Amino acid sequence: GAVVSQHPSWVICKSGTSVKIECRSLDFQATTMFWYRQFPKQSLMLMATSNEGSKATYEQGVEKDKFLINHASLTLSTLTVTSAHPEDSSFYICSAPRRSYNEQFFGPGTRLTVL
Amino acid sequence: DAKTTQPPSMDCAEGRAANLPCNHSTISGNEYVYWYRQIHSQGPQYIIHGLKNNETNEMASLIITEDRKSSTLILPHATLRDTAVYYCIVRPDSGSARQLTFGSGTQLTVLP
């Protein structure tokens, strides 16, 4: 079964609004989670690394004031897209490494459409 | 992380073996080869990984050349549900909390 969940699975919003996406590790604790973005017909691009109890680290070119990340517990990281615009429309995916496993577990993704 | 090169697309007949190649000629001695796949509009799914020995699990087999500069993922009996983008990723540590760097992958289409 799924070990990482995301909510919502899809969202449509108006330009200028903020959208929060949740990423949960279901049966394990994750001190680190990763947020990726995927545009149509492109590969996944890492946006930021979410660290429990500390600030997220952002990849070059990703605006930290626009994509707010909060990792307040060992099982939950949230990504808030502030003042969303149509160019933010994308597929957002989170992942979490699981201790003692050699793989990362990915969430099912969230499809964001900004009108 | 070492760079990987994969063909952009491949077709395979249902029930036949799908052999997906990956070149990683700059791989370092401590880097593992990982394979993930992404079915359309879903999150990626781990398939298999290896360092230098061939590996097999319930999903696939991984064949790594002796010089480790290339590898092949084998799906022994492809089904329509195996249609996906397959990513070959090279990374330093097994089990570390390091992000994955995705290339463009191979779009595998399994044909009925």
Side-chain angles (χ1 to χ4, degrees):
Chain A
V3 295
V4 174
S5 69
Q6 281 185 242
H7 177 79
S9 56
W10 60 270
V11 57
I12 301 173
C13 69
K14 293 182 178 180
S15 186
T17 60
S18 294
V19 174
K20 180 185 285 189
I21 302 169
E22 293 184 348
C23 177
R24 293 182 184 273
S25 55
L26 297 182
D27 58 355
F28 67 100
Q29 294 180 334
T31 56
T32 299
M33 290 184 178
F34 301 104
W35 286 96
Y36 297 82
R37 179 169 55 180
Q38 186 175 34
F39 292 107
K41 298 190 185 301
Q42 295 186 23
S43 189
L44 286 80
M45 294 296 294
L46 180 69
M47 298 176 65
T49 301
S50 175
N51 303 297
E52 190 269 334
S54 64
K55 291 183 179 180
T57 54
Y58 291 81
E59 295 301 299
Q60 190 172 9
V62 177
E63 301 174 57
K64 61 181 174 66
D65 294 330
K66 181 172 182 60
F67 298 98
L68 302 179
I69 291 174
N70 184 286
H71 196 149
S73 80
L74 289 171
T75 59
L76 174 64
S77 174
T78 61
L79 169 68
T80 302
V81 184
T82 62
S83 187
H85 288 96
E87 57 266 30
D88 299 321
S89 298
S90 189
F91 193 49
Y92 292 86
I93 307 168
C94 69
S95 76
R98 187 171 180 179
R99 194 177 301 176
S100 80
Y101 282 71
N102 295 321
E103 59 180 287
Q104 284 198 19
F105 293 89
F106 285 81
T110 297
R111 176 80 55 194
L112 171 63
T113 302
V114 185
L115 303 176
Chain B
D1 296 350
K3 180 179 170 58
T4 63
T5 304
Q6 299 178 252
S9 64
M10 292 181 63
D11 292 342
C12 175
E14 187 178 19
R16 304 295 294 269
N19 297 280
L20 293 94
C22 179
N23 285 321
H24 31 78
S25 59
T26 61
I27 192 170
S28 299
N30 66 340
E31 289 183 314
Y32 288 73
V33 180
Y34 280 77
W35 283 83
Y36 281 76
R37 73 179 182 184
Q38 185 180 24
I39 295 171
H40 183 62
S41 292
Q42 297 183 23
Q45 175 191 23
Y46 166 84
I47 301 173
I48 199 168
H49 77 283
L51 182 62
K52 52 185 174 182
N53 296 323
N54 298 337
E55 302 287 346
T56 295
N57 63 19
E58 65 278 4
M59 288 184 68
S61 294
L62 173 60
I63 308 298
I64 302 174
T65 58
E66 192 169 344
D67 63 7
R68 303 209 322 121
K69 292 186 177 182
S70 65
S71 60
T72 301
L73 178 74
I74 301 173
L75 306 179
H77 306 287
T79 70
L80 298 179
R81 288 178 292 182
D82 292 322
T83 292
V85 178
Y86 286 76
Y87 296 99
C88 170
I89 299 170
V90 174
R91 55 180 292 194
D93 297 313
S94 175
S96 71
R98 214 163 169 267
Q99 75 272 15
L100 295 170
T101 301
F102 288 84
S104 52
T106 296
Q107 170 66 60
L108 174 69
T109 302
V110 180
L111 304 171

